[in-house]
Amino acid sequence: MRWIDIFPSLSYTYDKLFRVSLAMPFPSTADIRINARLTGADAQQFQELLDSGGVSASELLRAALREYYRLHARPKRKPLDLLADYIGAGDGPRDLSANYKSYLAQALERKMPLAAHEGNLPQFPPLTTGS
């Protein structure tokens, strides 16, 4: 059985499998080859564009890929842009980022005062030995 019978539409798939089997590095994005089979209306439209556009098949496919990418790819955003709505949006003291530990300690002290600080140590019953 020939590889074209297994992977009829993309020589890219063959290149990838072939290179992996020979422990060769995968091709960079600069040298991906695509062998596509078009039938019916797709083949007719492709041929019409080739005949009327004065461009090669490769140029036509590149232009179609760029247009498809422009319409369907999500725009890449910088991490800072992703956080922009949250930076500086909180309420609190201006020095909170630098002194958060002392603010946290103060808040915890108000919520759950330490008995040792107030002089109110809990009274435990005396320990008894098992006699």
Side-chain angles (χ1 to χ4, degrees):
M1 179 174 279
R2 299 175 312 152
W3 71 270
I4 195 70
D5 297 326
I6 299 169
F7 303 108
S9 59
L10 295 178
S11 65
Y12 169 74
T13 305
Y14 168 74
D15 288 344
K16 182 177 178 182
L17 291 174
F18 180 72
R19 288 174 184 261
V20 168
S21 68
L22 295 179
M24 296 173 69
F26 187 68
S28 70
T29 56
D31 64 351
I32 292 175
R33 287 182 298 161
I34 298 174
N35 179 11
R37 184 177 309 213
L38 301 175
T39 59
D42 292 334
Q44 181 181 359
Q45 292 170 352
F46 187 78
Q47 192 59 50
E48 286 176 14
L49 289 171
L50 283 177
D51 294 343
S52 65
V55 295
S56 69
S58 294
E59 290 169 347
L60 180 58
L61 288 174
R62 281 188 211 103
L65 176 63
R66 287 183 193 118
E67 181 66 13
Y68 185 88
Y69 186 85
R70 187 184 66 78
L71 294 173
H72 297 286
R74 292 189 329 174
K76 294 178 182 167
R77 295 176 63 188
K78 296 178 184 174
L80 183 60
D81 294 339
L82 295 171
L83 296 173
D85 293 340
Y86 300 103
I87 295 174
D91 296 329
R94 294 184 60 77
D95 64 343
L96 181 61
S97 66
N99 300 315
Y100 67 93
K101 288 182 181 179
S102 61
Y103 286 115
L104 178 61
Q106 291 170 11
L108 289 174
E109 180 67 27
R110 282 193 304 272
K111 186 172 184 176
M112 300 179 303
L114 296 175
H117 287 229
E118 298 173 357
N120 298 329
L121 293 174
Q123 298 297 318
F124 295 105
L127 292 175
T128 57
T129 58
S131 53

